[in-house]
Amino acid sequence: MSTSIDSDIQHATGDNQSPDVGADLNEEDKRWLPDGQIGRQLDQETVRERDLLRWPSVVCIIANRMIGSGIFLTPSTLMQYTQSVGITLLFWVAGAITALCGTLMFIEYGLRSPRFHLRDTALGIKQPLPRSGGELYYLKDVLRKPAFLAVSLYGIAFILLGNIATNSMAFGVRVLQAAGRADPIDGWEARGIALAILTFTCALHTLWRIGGIRFSNVLAVIKLAMLFLIFITGCLTWGGVFKRQTDAIPNMTAPDAFKNPSTDAYSFAQAYLSIIFAYGGFNQANYVLGEVYKPKENYKLPAFLTVLGVCILYLLVNISYMLVVPADEQKAGQDVALRFFELTFGSISPDGAAIAPRILAGFMAISSLGNLVVMTYTAARVKQEIAKEGILPFYSFFAKNRPVPSKAKDNPVPLGALFLHWAVSTLLILATAPLAPLQAYRILVQLYSYTIDAIFGVVLGVGIFILRLRRKSSRSFTHETFMPAWISFGSAAVYGLSMAYPVITSYIPPSADFALAFPFKGLPWYSVATVGWCCVAAGAAWWVGFRLVYVRQHHDEQLVVKRWLLKTEHDTMEHETIQFCWRMGDTGGKKMREEAYIIESYDAARIPLHQGAV
């Protein structure tokens, strides 16, 4: 993957053009580049064709992100919240349905948004080109006005919460437990390991892009094998291999399964947030969709089948838990996964009771490591796309691809975005030092689930209706994604309503009994929801400062962020040029008209700003 990065150009006028712009293109392609530039310009090649992601990597990215510590921690949380085996299993089924509907919705967004003007057709004709960035571009497509609002709301929230501090701390704790360390584990010891593994994963993806992807694929296969092992172990217990009576009948029969459930609305909201966290990650391929070869072939069906397979595995694993662990122990707050390992592998030898927790900790450490590796790869690309919108200070640094080492032109990586990813994750690890590592982990994952998944998920669910009901949009959606309107509306409705449930009910006060069992000791019950909305408010405040402050000072000029993309026949980008232009507005303060300069151009955003750096 070769890269040509144009030096920053400030206040160039006329027909002058940097001699480095498009240096790696042939003469036929160069004719499509812009003739004049005012402001800053980034000019870079994208991933070379042979290094684009094929369907096995797409499958592994999704599976690796979905299968994390949630499948080991969430069963205990759910039973404490619901107090019912039957309702707990129904929550897992509801989560599977939500994940599948969300997958269909993200497939539709991914193959349809964003859209670019075509060079050789009449102005106004647009064609989709799959891009990395995930929700960033989909929210932009839904919330088109005012300019920069959707980018600021999502971008700031994702930069704050879309990091790997949580999994780094969880990995540190699990490694110590797998090594035989007894609780309580010193917080700084676990944080030291967290900082080390965080630095390692960022360095891996910086120095060796392909190596990071292959390592992620290997970890995904191991994690799938672990879930199969748990399911097979549960079946063997049912068959009497471990010489103990199965709990299938008392746990799974209808009268007992739904006996004395919780009636607390707040506890159900928190239970569903835990489910969102456990099933989260089904949209990870959308974060790097611009690096997928022939997305309609290597993304659409593989993504859906992968999510379906993981959902089935999750249900089978939870049934295995119910076959082995007594319901009373689960309701009392016992670690369900730990008791499963103690009652199965722990019964094999006299020392099994001591070995079983270490086996579980090893499984969870591998799960956390897989999440670390894959999310570093995907989240860094999202942050790079956020920087390309021009809303961040030093946006050119965070937006550029750089070959590392400098002579490796076939290995460009978003070095600035990876540094931002590492810096924010490190800051959160240090900022949560007063809390125990696992408590900080639970709070941060709840925040991510509530803000990124739930709040923005509601907007995206409504967004499908908005986009399809716009004039001529529904026909183009069906043509470009091959998804009938009834499937589109149905999946969006289910996903949007499912995400709205925890958003709303998280503000219903818990009962006195549940308040005593509240997992975040010392914090108000509404803390997760409130901090989540504060992250969204931070994005709104950023937008106000970014737009209105400049408008009041200099109202005669406009910032135009334009993209010129050369598209291959495989629906991927061959070359990308981004230009941050400062231009005088039209008479009467009207916005500048949209112009198509090359094969596909997209006017990302236009607002009045002063000439100078953002």
Side-chain angles (χ1 to χ4, degrees):
M1 167 175 157
S2 60
T3 300
S4 172
I5 304 171
D6 182 47
S7 59
D8 292 339
I9 306 169
Q10 301 200 28
H11 314 310
T13 58
D15 294 330
N16 295 330
Q17 180 171 340
S18 168
D20 294 327
V21 173
D24 290 342
L25 296 178
N26 57 40
E27 293 301 322
E28 177 67 17
D29 287 337
K30 282 182 180 180
R31 67 188 180 92
W32 296 112
L33 292 177
D35 294 328
Q37 307 160 9
I38 302 177
R40 289 172 180 253
Q41 179 160 309
L42 305 178
D43 186 61
Q44 56 192 18
E45 301 296 313
T46 54
V47 180
R48 60 182 178 180
E49 184 174 303
R50 75 177 190 184
D51 290 334
L52 292 171
L53 303 175
R54 268 62 173 179
W55 71 263
S57 292
V58 171
V59 168
C60 290
I61 284 173
I62 297 172
N64 202 5
R65 182 67 178 94
M66 288 187 70
I67 304 172
S69 54
I71 189 60
F72 301 107
L73 297 176
T74 302
S76 303
T77 306
L78 279 182
M79 281 298 290
Q80 292 180 61
Y81 286 151
T82 65
Q83 293 293 301
S84 166
V85 171
I87 295 178
T88 294
L89 292 177
L90 287 178
F91 264 100
W92 283 104
V93 173
I97 294 173
T98 300
L100 291 171
C101 289
T103 303
L104 291 173
M105 189 184 76
F106 272 89
I107 288 173
E108 186 161 13
Y109 271 121
L111 296 180
R112 198 267 177 191
S113 297
R115 302 170 65 80
F116 300 90
H117 285 281
L118 298 179
R119 173 64 176 89
D120 293 329
T121 58
L123 190 64
I125 303 298
K126 291 185 177 182
Q127 181 180 1
L129 178 62
R131 287 195 56 122
S132 302
E135 295 100 324
L136 175 70
Y137 287 112
Y138 314 151
L139 290 168
K140 277 183 59 181
D141 202 10
V142 174
L143 305 175
R144 297 178 182 178
K145 297 180 181 180
F148 286 110
L149 178 59
V151 173
S152 298
L153 292 178
Y154 179 80
I156 299 304
F158 190 86
I159 288 172
L160 292 175
L161 301 176
N163 56 76
I164 54 175
T166 53
N167 282 297
S168 297
M169 288 187 285
F171 178 81
V173 171
R174 302 309 176 188
V175 165
L176 292 173
Q177 290 177 341
R181 289 290 304 277
D183 290 333
I185 292 176
D186 176 71
W188 282 110
E189 201 171 11
R191 281 181 168 82
I193 297 175
L195 291 172
I197 194 63
L198 162 65
T199 304
F200 166 77
T201 54
C202 289
L204 174 63
H205 284 291
T206 298
L207 299 174
W208 192 17
R209 173 186 173 271
I210 296 299
I213 294 172
R214 290 172 180 170
F215 186 37
S216 173
N217 293 350
V218 170
L219 290 172
V221 173
I222 293 174
K223 289 160 80 168
L224 288 169
M226 290 192 309
L227 295 191
F228 275 112
L229 176 63
I230 293 174
F231 170 63
I232 293 172
T233 302
C235 294
L236 293 176
T237 302
W238 192 14
V241 172
F242 293 99
K243 299 179 180 180
R244 65 176 305 275
Q245 184 177 357
T246 178
D247 282 272
I249 295 178
N251 282 359
M252 307 292 284
T253 53
D256 294 326
F258 293 93
K259 184 170 59 178
N260 299 323
S262 172
T263 58
D264 191 281
Y266 181 85
S267 67
F268 284 144
Q270 297 306 303
Y272 201 75
L273 270 181
S274 299
I275 283 291
I276 293 174
F277 162 65
Y279 280 104
F282 57 83
N283 59 348
Q284 283 301 288
N286 292 67
Y287 288 2
V288 292
L289 199 53
E291 298 184 15
V292 176
Y293 179 74
K294 293 185 178 180
K296 289 183 180 179
E297 298 178 13
N298 290 290
Y299 160 69
K300 183 179 177 181
L301 185 60
F304 183 79
L305 293 179
T306 302
V307 176
L308 176 62
V310 173
C311 289
I312 293 173
L313 273 177
Y314 270 19
L315 295 175
L316 295 177
V317 166
N318 277 277
I319 291 173
S320 298
Y321 287 155
M322 298 303 177
L323 293 175
V324 175
V325 184
D328 291 338
E329 292 186 15
Q330 298 184 45
K331 295 177 184 179
Q334 289 279 349
D335 189 320
V336 175
L338 177 59
R339 286 297 293 155
F340 177 87
F341 278 81
E342 288 176 344
L343 296 173
T344 54
F345 298 109
S347 64
I348 296 177
S349 67
D351 297 329
I355 295 175
R358 297 176 64 179
I359 296 175
L360 174 61
F363 277 26
M364 295 179 72
I366 294 174
S367 295
S368 296
L369 178 61
N371 269 265
L372 282 167
V373 174
V374 72
M375 194 167 181
T376 297
Y377 171 56
T378 59
R381 269 65 184 177
V382 177
K383 291 167 185 176
Q384 181 185 32
E385 296 300 321
I386 294 170
K388 288 178 182 179
E389 298 297 323
I391 68 167
L392 299 180
F394 313 108
Y395 56 83
S396 60
F397 169 74
F398 296 120
K400 286 180 180 178
N401 278 335
R402 287 176 169 82
V404 180
S406 59
K407 294 183 179 180
K409 291 186 177 181
D410 59 344
N411 186 34
V413 294
L415 183 60
L418 281 165
F419 173 77
L420 178 64
H421 185 68
W422 174 87
V424 175
S425 299
T426 300
L427 182 62
L428 280 177
I429 291 174
L430 298 177
T432 56
L435 301 174
L438 287 182
Q439 186 180 19
Y441 166 82
R442 294 188 183 99
I443 293 174
L444 291 175
V445 297
Q446 290 279 73
L447 274 175
Y448 182 90
S449 298
Y450 186 87
T451 310
I452 304 299
D453 291 333
I455 293 178
F456 292 114
V458 173
V459 180
L460 291 175
V462 176
I464 289 291
F465 287 84
I466 294 175
L467 294 178
R468 274 194 173 264
L469 294 177
R470 283 176 180 161
R471 182 180 299 180
K472 298 181 181 180
S473 288
S474 185
R475 183 183 300 176
S476 66
F477 258 58
T478 302
H479 173 71
E480 291 156 4
T481 64
F482 305 101
M483 190 173 297
W486 67 271
I487 294 180
S488 174
F489 286 133
S491 59
V494 170
Y495 187 78
L497 290 173
S498 299
M499 296 300 105
Y501 174 71
V503 170
I504 297 172
T505 54
S506 289
Y507 278 102
I508 298 177
S511 63
D513 292 338
F514 181 78
L516 295 175
F518 184 63
F520 307 140
K521 301 299 182 183
L523 296 176
W525 58 268
Y526 50 81
S527 54
V528 169
T530 302
V531 175
W533 281 109
C534 286
C535 292
V536 178
W542 189 279
W543 174 76
V544 170
F546 180 71
R547 175 167 180 152
L548 298 185
V549 170
Y550 283 99
V551 168
R552 291 174 181 173
Q553 293 178 352
H554 308 281
H555 55 81
D556 293 331
E557 293 179 340
Q558 296 174 319
L559 170 64
V560 183
V561 182
K562 288 185 176 290
R563 288 178 169 82
W564 291 268
L565 305 107
L566 300 185
K567 175 186 174 183
T568 70
E569 66 273 20
H570 306 307
D571 288 337
T572 55
M573 286 191 305
E574 178 184 10
H575 181 90
E576 179 179 26
T577 296
I578 306 173
Q579 191 179 70
F580 303 90
C581 305
W582 307 91
R583 295 181 179 178
M584 297 297 295
D586 289 343
T587 304
K590 295 181 180 179
K591 292 183 177 180
M592 295 167 55
R593 68 183 185 274
E594 191 167 10
E595 301 171 350
Y597 289 105
I598 59 166
I599 298 176
E600 295 178 298
S601 69
Y602 177 58
D603 200 344
R606 299 187 298 270
I607 64 170
L609 287 174
H610 177 252
Q611 181 173 339
V614 176

